[in-house]
Amino acid sequence: MQISELSTQQISGAVALWERTGLTRPWNDPYADARRALETSTSTVLAIIEDEKVIATVMVGHDGHRGWLYYVAVDPRRQGAGLGRKMVEAASDWLTERAVPKVQLMVRNENKAVLKFYQRLGFEDQKTVVLGKRLGAKS
Ligand SMILES: CC(C)(COP(=O)(O)OP(=O)(O)OC[C@H]1O[C@@H](n2cnc3c(N)ncnc32)[C@H](O)[C@@H]1OP(=O)(O)O)[C@@H](O)C(=O)NCCC(=O)NCCS
């Protein structure tokens, strides 16, 4: 099962997967998220494509110190077969190749069920409160 960088032509397939897996939110433009990640040298979107369909993704990026994962998703019909683990490992390798020492991610409060998945992969609660504020950037 090959993991490769998403092409711009495949963005709509990735967004369809993110919608199917409940990862999109009205205040985020997932097309712009994917485009920006692909255009920027410190980020990318990795994917598994099968029969021209996007079945698994992870968006990965870093600021030199920390690597972040977003849009970790596996097609509901393919979940439970190790693909989620493969995507997180591929993103972690991508960061390691760039000498980034740490990987982390945010889990929405309403998605706490997924914490067990990350715990199986060795992730730990960082006992940190994440604060945020929306800026007026145009996408
Ligand atoms: C979370 C998600 C990516 C996991 O992908 P997956 O392919 O089903 O996961 P894997 O089969 O690779 O599972 C890896 C390990 O985690 C465990 N695991 C996966 N989901 C789990 C769950 N909901 N509860 C407990 N354990 C779980 C598996 O048993 C497996 O353990 P093992 O390797 O020791 O056998 C997938 O369920 C998904 O796309 N969910 C919807 C989108 C989402 O919520 N993404 C996360 C946003 S933060």
Side-chain angles (χ1 to χ4, degrees):
M1 190 97 10
Q2 202 192 323
I3 299 176
S4 51
E5 205 158 83
L6 197 74
S7 71
T8 46
Q9 291 78 13
Q10 290 163 335
I11 289 177
S12 56
V15 172
L17 172 64
W18 299 341
E19 283 168 351
R20 281 204 299 288
T21 51
L23 295 184
T24 53
R25 289 295 179 273
W27 54 88
N28 268 352
D29 177 350
Y31 291 91
D33 286 347
R35 263 198 323 271
R36 271 194 303 267
L38 293 174
E39 283 166 3
T40 308
S41 64
T42 52
S43 58
T44 192
V45 182
L46 303 177
I48 297 176
I49 315 288
E50 208 176 67
D51 300 327
E52 296 179 18
K53 199 171 169 204
V54 180
I55 61 159
T57 60
V58 57
M59 180 184 287
V60 53
H62 73 87
D63 55 22
H65 175 53
R66 291 195 170 91
W68 286 92
L69 307 187
Y70 302 89
Y71 292 116
V72 176
V74 174
D75 187 296
R77 281 165 296 190
R78 306 298 298 274
Q79 289 177 8
L83 296 186
R85 176 187 284 276
K86 270 193 202 314
M87 298 314 292
V88 171
E89 287 174 354
S92 303
D93 289 346
W94 189 93
L95 291 166
T96 302
E97 283 161 19
R98 286 154 183 82
V100 179
K102 186 169 184 186
V103 60
Q104 54 190 41
L105 54 97
M106 291 177 279
V107 174
R108 292 190 179 113
N109 280 330
E110 65 267 27
N111 197 16
K112 287 215 168 118
V114 84
L115 289 176
K116 293 210 169 74
F117 163 71
Y118 289 114
Q119 279 159 5
R120 295 295 299 160
L121 271 58
F123 285 75
E124 293 169 338
D125 186 346
Q126 298 297 291
K127 310 285 184 208
T128 300
V129 176
V130 177
L131 302 180
K133 180 179 173 181
R134 292 206 76 80
L135 302 173
K138 299 226 172 8
S139 52

